[in-house]
Protein backbone atom coordinates (compact mmCIF):
# COMPACT_ATOMS: atom_id res chain seq x y z
CA UNK A 1 0.00 0.00 0.00
CA UNK A 2 2.72 2.40 1.08
CA UNK A 3 4.70 1.51 -2.01
CA UNK A 4 1.88 2.32 -4.42
CA UNK A 5 1.30 5.72 -2.74
CA UNK A 6 5.00 6.55 -3.19
CA UNK A 7 4.69 5.62 -6.86
CA UNK A 8 1.57 7.76 -7.24
CA UNK A 9 3.37 10.73 -5.67
CA UNK A 10 6.29 10.22 -8.05
CA UNK A 11 4.02 10.19 -11.12
CA UNK A 12 2.12 13.25 -9.87
CA UNK A 13 5.37 15.16 -9.42
CA UNK A 14 6.55 14.13 -12.89
CA UNK A 15 3.26 15.22 -14.52
CA UNK A 16 3.46 18.66 -12.87
CA UNK A 17 7.08 19.00 -14.00
CA UNK A 18 6.16 17.92 -17.53
CA UNK A 19 3.45 20.59 -17.68
CA UNK A 20 5.88 23.26 -16.48
CA UNK A 21 8.65 22.20 -18.82
CA UNK A 22 6.26 22.07 -21.79
CA UNK A 23 6.28 25.88 -21.56
CA UNK A 24 10.01 25.87 -22.35
CA UNK A 25 9.51 24.38 -25.78
CA UNK A 26 7.74 27.10 -27.73
CA UNK A 27 9.68 28.28 -30.79
CA UNK A 28 8.18 31.75 -30.58
CA UNK A 29 8.86 32.36 -26.90
CA UNK A 30 11.75 30.22 -25.67
CA UNK A 31 15.29 31.37 -25.00
CA UNK A 32 16.17 27.66 -25.10
CA UNK A 33 15.27 27.51 -28.81
CA UNK A 34 17.28 30.44 -30.17
CA UNK A 35 16.00 31.95 -33.41
CA UNK A 36 19.11 33.82 -34.49
CA UNK A 37 22.78 34.62 -33.95
CA UNK A 38 22.26 36.70 -30.78
CA UNK A 39 19.92 34.15 -29.21
CA UNK A 40 22.42 31.36 -29.99
CA UNK A 41 25.31 33.19 -28.33
CA UNK A 42 23.20 33.88 -25.27
CA UNK A 43 22.08 30.24 -25.22
CA UNK A 44 25.74 29.18 -25.33
CA UNK A 45 26.43 31.32 -22.25
CA UNK A 46 23.45 29.81 -20.45
CA UNK A 47 24.68 26.27 -21.16
CA UNK A 48 28.29 27.11 -20.24
CA UNK A 49 27.36 28.64 -16.88
CA UNK A 50 24.92 25.83 -16.04
CA UNK A 51 27.55 23.20 -16.91
CA UNK A 52 30.13 24.82 -14.64
CA UNK A 53 27.53 25.15 -11.90
CA UNK A 54 26.52 21.47 -12.21
CA UNK A 55 30.16 20.42 -12.13
CA UNK A 56 30.72 22.30 -8.87
CA UNK A 57 27.43 21.19 -7.29
CA UNK A 58 28.05 17.59 -8.39
CA UNK A 59 31.62 17.49 -7.02
CA UNK A 60 30.58 18.97 -3.68
CA UNK A 61 27.59 16.60 -3.40
CA UNK A 62 29.77 13.55 -4.11
CA UNK A 63 32.47 14.62 -1.63
CA UNK A 64 29.83 15.29 1.00
CA UNK A 65 28.13 11.92 0.46
CA UNK A 66 31.44 10.06 0.70
CA UNK A 67 32.30 11.87 3.94
CA UNK A 68 28.91 11.12 5.49
CA UNK A 69 28.89 7.45 4.48
CA UNK A 70 32.50 6.74 5.45
CA UNK A 71 32.39 8.52 8.81
CA UNK A 72 29.25 6.89 10.22
CA UNK A 73 29.54 6.24 13.96
CA UNK A 74 28.56 2.59 13.42
CA UNK A 75 31.55 2.25 11.12
CA UNK A 76 34.36 4.23 12.79
CA UNK A 77 33.33 3.95 16.42
CA UNK A 78 32.53 6.39 19.21
CA UNK A 79 35.94 8.02 19.80
CA UNK A 80 37.17 8.36 16.23
CA UNK A 81 38.92 11.67 15.45
CA UNK A 82 39.48 12.22 11.69
CA UNK A 83 42.75 13.52 10.30
CA UNK A 84 42.99 17.29 10.96
CA UNK A 85 43.56 19.34 7.76
CA UNK A 86 43.13 22.92 9.00
CA UNK A 87 45.89 25.10 7.50
CA UNK A 88 46.92 22.39 4.99
CA UNK A 89 48.86 24.29 2.34
CA UNK A 90 48.22 21.95 -0.60
CA UNK A 91 44.47 21.81 0.01
CA UNK A 92 44.22 25.58 0.30
CA UNK A 93 46.05 26.08 -2.99
CA UNK A 94 43.73 23.57 -4.68
CA UNK A 95 40.46 25.08 -3.50
CA UNK A 96 41.61 28.59 -4.35
CA UNK A 97 42.96 27.74 -7.80
CA UNK A 98 40.04 25.67 -9.07
CA UNK A 99 37.41 28.44 -8.61
CA UNK A 100 39.76 30.95 -10.24
CA UNK A 101 40.15 28.69 -13.27
CA UNK A 102 36.36 28.13 -13.46
CA UNK A 103 35.72 31.88 -13.25
CA UNK A 104 38.23 32.53 -16.06
CA UNK A 105 36.53 29.88 -18.22
CA UNK A 106 33.21 31.64 -17.59
CA UNK A 107 34.48 35.22 -17.86
CA UNK A 108 36.30 35.11 -21.22
CA UNK A 109 33.32 34.07 -23.40
CA UNK A 110 30.92 36.20 -21.35
CA UNK A 111 32.94 39.39 -21.85
CA UNK A 112 33.57 38.53 -25.50
CA UNK A 113 29.87 37.89 -26.26
CA UNK A 114 28.79 40.98 -24.30
CA UNK A 115 31.03 43.25 -26.38
CA UNK A 116 30.13 41.51 -29.66
CA UNK A 117 26.42 41.96 -29.02
CA UNK A 118 26.90 45.64 -28.18
CA UNK A 119 28.71 46.27 -31.46
CA UNK A 120 26.41 48.60 -33.36
CA UNK A 121 29.07 50.08 -35.65
CA UNK A 122 27.10 49.16 -38.78
CA UNK A 123 24.33 51.46 -37.63
CA UNK A 124 26.14 54.60 -38.77
CA UNK A 125 28.28 55.32 -41.82
CA UNK A 126 31.82 56.69 -41.68
CA UNK A 127 30.32 60.18 -41.98
CA UNK A 128 28.39 59.64 -38.80
CA UNK A 129 24.91 59.47 -40.36
CA UNK A 130 22.49 56.57 -39.99
CA UNK A 131 23.47 53.82 -42.43
CA UNK A 132 20.59 53.41 -44.87
CA UNK A 133 21.57 49.80 -45.61
CA UNK A 134 20.82 48.83 -42.00
CA UNK A 135 17.34 48.51 -40.57
CA UNK A 136 17.24 50.75 -37.50
CA UNK A 137 14.27 50.86 -35.16
CA UNK A 138 13.84 53.38 -32.36
CA UNK A 139 11.95 51.61 -29.60
CA UNK A 140 10.11 53.63 -26.96
CA UNK A 141 8.59 51.80 -24.02
CA UNK A 142 5.53 53.31 -22.34
CA UNK A 143 3.42 52.07 -19.44
CA UNK A 144 2.27 49.53 -20.84
CA UNK A 145 2.86 49.47 -24.57
CA UNK A 146 5.62 49.71 -27.18
CA UNK A 147 6.28 52.16 -29.99
CA UNK A 148 8.51 51.31 -32.95
CA UNK A 149 9.89 53.99 -35.26
CA UNK A 150 11.68 52.98 -38.47
CA UNK A 151 14.40 55.61 -38.72
CA UNK A 152 15.00 55.83 -42.48
CA UNK A 153 11.44 55.35 -43.62
CA UNK A 154 9.87 57.71 -41.10
CA UNK A 155 7.27 55.08 -40.24
CA UNK A 156 5.87 54.61 -36.74
CA UNK A 157 3.91 51.66 -35.49
CA UNK A 158 3.16 50.15 -32.12
CA UNK A 159 2.72 46.79 -30.43
CA UNK A 160 3.55 44.72 -33.55
CA UNK A 161 7.21 45.09 -34.47
CA UNK A 162 7.86 44.06 -38.08
CA UNK A 163 11.44 43.04 -38.94
CA UNK A 164 13.32 41.51 -41.89
CA UNK A 165 14.92 38.07 -41.44
CA UNK A 166 18.54 36.97 -41.95
CA UNK A 167 20.11 40.34 -41.21
CA UNK A 168 21.01 42.49 -38.25
CA UNK A 169 18.16 44.67 -37.05
CA UNK A 170 19.42 47.53 -34.90
CA UNK A 171 17.48 48.92 -31.96
CA UNK A 172 17.81 52.19 -30.06
CA UNK A 173 15.93 51.73 -26.82
CA UNK A 174 14.49 54.29 -24.48
CA UNK A 175 11.78 54.50 -21.85
CA UNK A 176 9.16 57.26 -21.92
CA UNK A 177 8.06 57.15 -18.28
CA UNK A 178 9.82 54.58 -16.12
CA UNK A 179 12.46 51.95 -16.78
CA UNK A 180 11.29 48.98 -18.88
CA UNK A 181 13.26 46.20 -20.55
CA UNK A 182 13.07 45.01 -24.16
CA UNK A 183 13.13 41.24 -24.53
CA UNK A 184 12.34 38.87 -27.38
CA UNK A 185 13.17 35.59 -25.60
CA UNK A 186 13.71 33.56 -28.76
CA UNK A 187 15.90 36.17 -30.47
CA UNK A 188 17.77 37.78 -27.59
CA UNK A 189 17.85 40.60 -25.10
CA UNK A 190 16.98 41.70 -22.57
CA UNK A 191 18.17 45.27 -22.56
CA UNK A 192 16.86 48.07 -20.35
CA UNK A 193 14.95 50.99 -21.85
CA UNK A 194 16.15 53.87 -19.67
CA UNK A 195 14.52 57.25 -19.37
CA UNK A 196 17.82 59.16 -19.31
CA UNK A 197 19.84 57.60 -22.12
CA UNK A 198 19.66 55.34 -25.15
CA UNK A 199 20.78 51.70 -25.15
CA UNK A 200 21.58 50.23 -28.56
CA UNK A 201 21.97 46.65 -29.70
CA UNK A 202 20.96 44.35 -32.53
CA UNK A 203 19.03 41.13 -33.01
CA UNK A 204 18.98 38.62 -35.85
CA UNK A 205 15.97 36.52 -36.85
CA UNK A 206 16.79 33.43 -38.96
CA UNK A 207 14.33 32.96 -41.79
CA UNK A 208 13.89 29.20 -41.27
CA UNK A 209 13.38 29.69 -37.52
CA UNK A 210 10.83 32.43 -38.25
CA UNK A 211 8.99 30.10 -40.60
CA UNK A 212 8.86 27.39 -37.90
CA UNK A 213 7.38 29.95 -35.52
CA UNK A 214 4.73 30.98 -38.08
CA UNK A 215 6.66 34.24 -38.54
CA UNK A 216 5.56 35.48 -35.15
CA UNK A 217 7.74 35.83 -32.05
CA UNK A 218 6.63 37.05 -28.65
CA UNK A 219 8.19 40.05 -26.95
CA UNK A 220 8.07 40.95 -23.27
CA UNK A 221 8.80 43.74 -20.87
CA UNK A 222 11.39 42.29 -18.52
CA UNK A 223 11.59 45.00 -15.88
CA UNK A 224 8.97 45.46 -13.17
CA UNK A 225 7.38 48.74 -14.27
CA UNK A 226 3.97 48.92 -12.60
CA UNK A 227 0.76 46.98 -11.97
CA UNK A 228 0.45 45.88 -15.63
CA UNK A 229 4.10 44.97 -16.15
CA UNK A 230 3.24 41.32 -16.81
CA UNK A 231 0.75 42.40 -19.49
CA UNK A 232 3.22 44.61 -21.38
CA UNK A 233 3.68 42.27 -24.33
CA UNK A 234 4.44 42.90 -27.97
CA UNK A 235 4.75 40.74 -31.07
CA UNK A 236 7.54 40.46 -33.62
CA UNK A 237 6.50 39.69 -37.17
CA UNK A 238 9.64 38.42 -38.98
CA UNK A 239 9.38 38.62 -42.78
CA UNK A 240 11.79 38.01 -45.67
CA UNK A 241 13.44 41.32 -46.69
CA UNK A 242 11.28 41.84 -49.81
CA UNK A 243 8.04 41.39 -47.86
CA UNK A 244 9.36 43.66 -45.13
CA UNK A 245 10.12 46.41 -47.66
CA UNK A 246 6.65 45.99 -49.12
CA UNK A 247 5.11 46.32 -45.64
CA UNK A 248 6.98 49.58 -45.06
CA UNK A 249 5.91 50.92 -48.46
CA UNK A 250 2.29 49.91 -47.73
CA UNK A 251 2.48 51.78 -44.41
CA UNK A 252 3.76 54.87 -46.18
CA UNK A 253 0.65 55.00 -48.35
CA UNK A 254 -1.06 56.53 -45.30
CA UNK A 255 1.71 59.00 -44.61
CA UNK A 256 -0.47 62.08 -45.10
CA UNK A 257 -4.04 60.92 -44.74
CA UNK A 258 -5.70 58.24 -42.67
CA UNK A 259 -7.66 55.47 -44.35
CA UNK A 260 -11.32 56.36 -44.96
CA UNK A 261 -13.82 53.94 -43.43
CA UNK A 262 -16.10 52.07 -45.81
CA UNK A 263 -18.95 50.46 -43.81
CA UNK A 264 -21.62 52.85 -42.48
CA UNK A 265 -21.05 52.16 -38.78
CA UNK A 266 -17.29 52.40 -39.34
CA UNK A 267 -17.77 55.77 -41.02
CA UNK A 268 -19.68 57.03 -37.99
CA UNK A 269 -17.01 55.46 -35.81
CA UNK A 270 -14.31 57.38 -37.68
CA UNK A 271 -16.15 60.63 -36.97
CA UNK A 272 -16.42 59.82 -33.26
CA UNK A 273 -12.76 58.79 -33.24
CA UNK A 274 -11.74 62.08 -34.88
CA UNK A 275 -13.57 64.01 -32.17
CA UNK A 276 -12.10 62.12 -29.22
CA UNK A 277 -9.57 59.28 -29.49
CA UNK A 278 -7.40 61.09 -32.04
CA UNK A 279 -6.19 63.35 -29.23
CA UNK A 280 -3.91 60.49 -28.20
CA UNK A 281 -3.88 57.98 -31.08
CA UNK A 282 -2.51 58.75 -34.54
CA UNK A 283 -3.84 56.85 -37.55
CA UNK A 284 -1.11 57.96 -39.96
CA UNK A 285 2.29 56.33 -39.62
CA UNK A 286 4.51 59.37 -39.14
CA UNK A 287 3.57 60.33 -35.65
CA UNK A 288 5.93 59.30 -32.88
CA UNK A 289 5.56 60.47 -29.33
CA UNK A 290 1.75 60.69 -29.20
CA UNK A 291 0.24 59.85 -25.82
CA UNK A 292 -1.17 56.51 -27.02
CA UNK A 293 -0.19 53.80 -29.48
CA UNK A 294 -0.22 54.62 -33.20
CA UNK A 295 -3.16 52.75 -34.75
CA UNK A 296 -2.42 53.07 -38.50
CA UNK A 297 -2.58 49.32 -39.17
CA UNK A 298 -4.62 48.34 -36.12
CA UNK A 299 -6.84 45.92 -38.08
CA UNK A 300 -3.75 43.88 -39.07
CA UNK A 301 -2.50 43.45 -35.51
CA UNK A 302 -2.06 40.06 -33.92
CA UNK A 303 -3.54 40.96 -30.53
CA UNK A 304 -5.52 43.72 -28.85
CA UNK A 305 -3.69 45.70 -26.17
CA UNK A 306 -0.88 43.18 -26.63
CA UNK A 307 -2.74 40.40 -24.80
CA UNK A 308 -6.30 39.80 -26.07
CA UNK A 309 -7.29 37.80 -29.12
CA UNK A 310 -7.77 40.16 -32.06
CA UNK A 311 -11.53 40.45 -32.59
CA UNK A 312 -14.18 43.14 -32.33
CA UNK A 313 -15.74 41.82 -29.10
CA UNK A 314 -12.44 42.05 -27.29
CA UNK A 315 -11.82 45.50 -28.73
CA UNK A 316 -15.20 46.66 -27.43
CA UNK A 317 -14.44 45.28 -23.94
CA UNK A 318 -11.03 46.97 -24.03
CA UNK A 319 -12.41 50.41 -24.96
CA UNK A 320 -15.27 50.04 -22.49
CA UNK A 321 -13.12 49.20 -19.45
CA UNK A 322 -9.38 49.24 -20.13
CA UNK A 323 -8.67 49.38 -16.38
CA UNK A 324 -10.15 45.91 -15.93
CA UNK A 325 -7.85 44.48 -18.62
CA UNK A 326 -4.65 46.45 -17.96
CA UNK A 327 -4.70 48.09 -14.52
CA UNK A 328 -3.06 51.52 -14.27
CA UNK A 329 -3.04 52.14 -18.03
CA UNK A 330 -3.28 55.72 -19.27
CA UNK A 331 -6.44 55.25 -21.37
CA UNK A 332 -8.71 54.73 -18.38
CA UNK A 333 -11.13 57.64 -18.05
CA UNK A 334 -9.72 59.54 -21.07
CA UNK A 335 -13.10 59.66 -22.84
CA UNK A 336 -16.56 58.53 -21.86
CA UNK A 337 -18.19 56.98 -24.91
CA UNK A 338 -21.55 55.20 -24.73
CA UNK A 339 -21.98 51.58 -25.83
CA UNK A 340 -23.24 52.52 -29.28
CA UNK A 341 -20.32 54.87 -29.88
CA UNK A 342 -17.83 52.29 -28.68
CA UNK A 343 -19.26 49.74 -31.07
CA UNK A 344 -18.88 52.13 -33.99
CA UNK A 345 -15.35 53.15 -33.05
CA UNK A 346 -14.45 49.46 -32.81
CA UNK A 347 -15.92 48.85 -36.27
CA UNK A 348 -13.74 51.69 -37.60
CA UNK A 349 -10.56 50.47 -35.91
CA UNK A 350 -11.03 46.91 -37.20
CA UNK A 351 -11.12 48.38 -40.72
CA UNK A 352 -7.68 49.99 -40.30
CA UNK A 353 -5.82 47.47 -42.42
CA UNK A 354 -3.07 48.14 -44.91
CA UNK A 355 -3.96 47.73 -48.54
CA UNK A 356 -1.49 44.99 -49.35
CA UNK A 357 0.97 45.83 -52.15
CA UNK A 358 -0.35 49.36 -52.51
CA UNK A 359 2.99 50.97 -51.69
CA UNK A 360 5.76 51.57 -54.19
CA UNK A 361 8.96 50.03 -52.80
CA UNK A 362 11.24 51.58 -55.41
CA UNK A 363 9.83 55.03 -54.81
CA UNK A 364 10.36 54.61 -51.07
CA UNK A 365 13.97 53.55 -51.57
CA UNK A 366 14.63 56.55 -53.83
CA UNK A 367 13.19 58.90 -51.23
CA UNK A 368 15.41 57.42 -48.54
CA UNK A 369 18.43 57.79 -50.80
CA UNK A 370 17.57 61.40 -51.57
CA UNK A 371 17.15 62.15 -47.89
CA UNK A 372 20.44 60.53 -47.05
CA UNK A 373 22.16 62.60 -49.73
CA UNK A 374 20.64 65.74 -48.23
CA UNK A 375 21.91 64.72 -44.78
CA UNK A 376 25.38 64.09 -46.21
CA UNK A 377 25.42 67.45 -47.99
CA UNK A 378 24.39 69.19 -44.79
CA UNK A 379 27.11 67.31 -42.97
CA UNK A 380 29.80 68.41 -45.46
CA UNK A 381 28.64 72.04 -45.28
CA UNK A 382 29.61 72.20 -41.65
CU1 LIG B 1 7.29 47.72 -18.78
CU2 LIG B 1 7.54 45.97 -17.25
Amino acid sequence: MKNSWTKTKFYMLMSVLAIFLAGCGRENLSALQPAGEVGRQQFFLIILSISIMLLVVGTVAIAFTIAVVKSRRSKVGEDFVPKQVAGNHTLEVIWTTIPIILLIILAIPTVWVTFTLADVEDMVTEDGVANKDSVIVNVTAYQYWWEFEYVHENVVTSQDLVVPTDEKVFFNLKGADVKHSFWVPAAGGKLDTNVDGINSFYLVFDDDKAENADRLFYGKCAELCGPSHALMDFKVVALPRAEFDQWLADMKVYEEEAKVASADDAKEGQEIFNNSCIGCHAVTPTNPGAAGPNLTNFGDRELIAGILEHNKENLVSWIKDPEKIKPDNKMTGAYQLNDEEIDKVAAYLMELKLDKNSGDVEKMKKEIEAEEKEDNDEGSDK
Side-chain angles (χ1 to χ4, degrees):
M1 181 65 203
K2 197 180 162 218
N3 202 7
S4 79
W5 174 231
T6 311
K7 260 190 195 164
T8 314
K9 276 199 288 191
F10 175 76
Y11 286 125
M12 272 162 61
L13 178 68
M14 284 300 141
S15 334
V16 171
L17 265 180
I19 290 167
F20 268 116
L21 292 175
C24 302
R26 286 171 59 179
E27 294 98 342
N28 53 11
L29 186 59
S30 176
L32 305 181
Q33 295 194 29
E37 174 200 326
V38 177
R40 269 192 297 278
Q41 283 175 331
Q42 293 184 336
F43 181 66
F44 162 71
L45 288 183
I46 294 173
I47 294 298
L48 178 71
S49 48
I50 288 181
S51 309
I52 293 177
M53 185 187 79
L54 287 179
L55 182 75
V56 173
V57 170
T59 311
V60 172
I62 290 169
F64 177 77
T65 313
I66 291 174
V68 167
V69 172
K70 273 184 115 181
S71 315
R72 275 173 302 166
R73 189 188 293 169
S74 60
K75 217 164 186 191
V76 294
E78 199 69 46
D79 304 319
F80 175 74
V81 178
K83 187 180 163 198
Q84 297 303 293
V85 291
N88 184 306
H89 194 71
T90 318
L91 277 179
E92 279 181 357
V93 168
I94 291 173
W95 65 52
T96 310
T97 315
I98 292 178
I100 290 175
I101 293 173
L102 291 179
L103 283 179
I104 290 173
I105 295 174
L106 187 61
I108 292 174
T110 304
V111 172
W112 184 77
V113 168
T114 304
F115 277 91
T116 312
L117 299 186
D119 175 15
V120 288
E121 227 172 44
D122 292 350
M123 210 159 70
V124 286
T125 63
E126 282 171 7
D127 310 321
V129 290
N131 183 356
K132 76 169 174 49
D133 296 326
S134 300
V135 175
I136 305 173
V137 186
N138 290 342
V139 177
T140 312
Y142 296 80
Q143 282 173 318
Y144 302 92
W145 58 279
W146 299 85
E147 181 177 82
F148 307 110
E149 181 191 7
Y150 296 81
V151 172
H152 303 299
E153 296 79 5
N154 200 19
V155 161
V156 175
T157 184
S158 56
Q159 296 300 77
D160 282 16
L161 165 69
V162 182
V163 293
T165 50
D166 289 342
E167 65 180 278
K168 284 183 182 175
V169 183
F170 294 92
F171 297 97
N172 294 316
L173 310 174
K174 69 169 198 275
D177 31 41
V178 297
K179 190 198 282 267
H180 305 265
S181 180
F182 180 82
W183 189 30
V184 186
K190 39 201 132 147
L191 195 60
D192 279 357
T193 65
N194 295 328
V195 181
D196 52 0
I198 291 173
N199 277 337
S200 301
F201 80 143
Y202 67 88
L203 293 176
V204 180
F205 299 82
D206 290 353
D207 198 64
D208 54 335
K209 294 282 172 14
E211 217 171 341
N212 286 346
D214 290 331
R215 304 227 162 259
L216 191 68
F217 295 100
Y218 283 54
K220 295 270 170 195
C221 175
E223 178 77 47
L224 186 59
C225 56
S228 284
H229 151 71
L231 306 172
M232 193 174 155
D233 290 2
F234 61 99
K235 298 284 164 293
V236 185
V237 182
L239 304 172
R241 182 60 193 242
E243 283 178 41
F244 168 75
D245 284 342
Q246 186 62 56
W247 175 80
L248 276 173
D250 291 347
M251 280 292 273
K252 283 187 84 70
V253 169
Y254 300 107
E255 202 163 25
E256 310 279 317
E257 255 173 80
K259 190 184 175 82
V260 177
S262 61
D264 285 343
D265 56 344
K267 270 183 196 155
E268 285 175 52
Q270 182 166 23
E271 206 165 296
I272 299 164
F273 184 95
N274 287 343
N275 287 320
S276 49
C277 320
I278 206 155
C280 296
H281 296 281
V283 279
T284 49
T286 49
N287 203 343
N294 186 302
L295 301 175
T296 307
N297 60 339
F298 181 84
D300 291 326
R301 298 261 166 91
E302 295 293 334
L303 296 169
I304 287 170
I307 44 174
L308 300 176
E309 199 184 317
H310 196 273
N311 57 47
K312 197 178 153 205
E313 292 75 58
N314 281 341
L315 179 56
V316 167
S317 337
W318 165 248
I319 302 174
K320 210 179 262 182
D321 192 359
E323 193 63 18
K324 196 171 149 198
I325 293 164
K326 258 188 184 178
D328 189 45
N329 80 85
K330 302 283 186 288
M331 189 160 101
T332 302
Y335 267 98
Q336 292 304 329
L337 301 178
N338 64 37
D339 285 1
E340 201 187 327
E341 288 171 324
I342 289 175
D343 196 71
K344 286 172 180 166
V345 167
Y348 166 59
L349 291 175
M350 293 305 275
E351 271 199 10
L352 292 181
K353 292 181 179 179
L354 298 185
D355 294 328
K356 293 258 162 73
N357 304 319
S358 59
D360 186 337
V361 176
E362 288 312 312
K363 190 175 147 223
M364 179 182 75
K365 284 185 176 165
K366 272 184 197 141
E367 280 171 9
I368 295 168
E369 232 158 77
E371 249 168 61
E372 196 213 21
K373 197 167 169 287
E374 220 169 83
D375 284 351
N376 276 346
D377 291 349
E378 264 173 39
S380 58
D381 284 349
K382 277 173 197 160

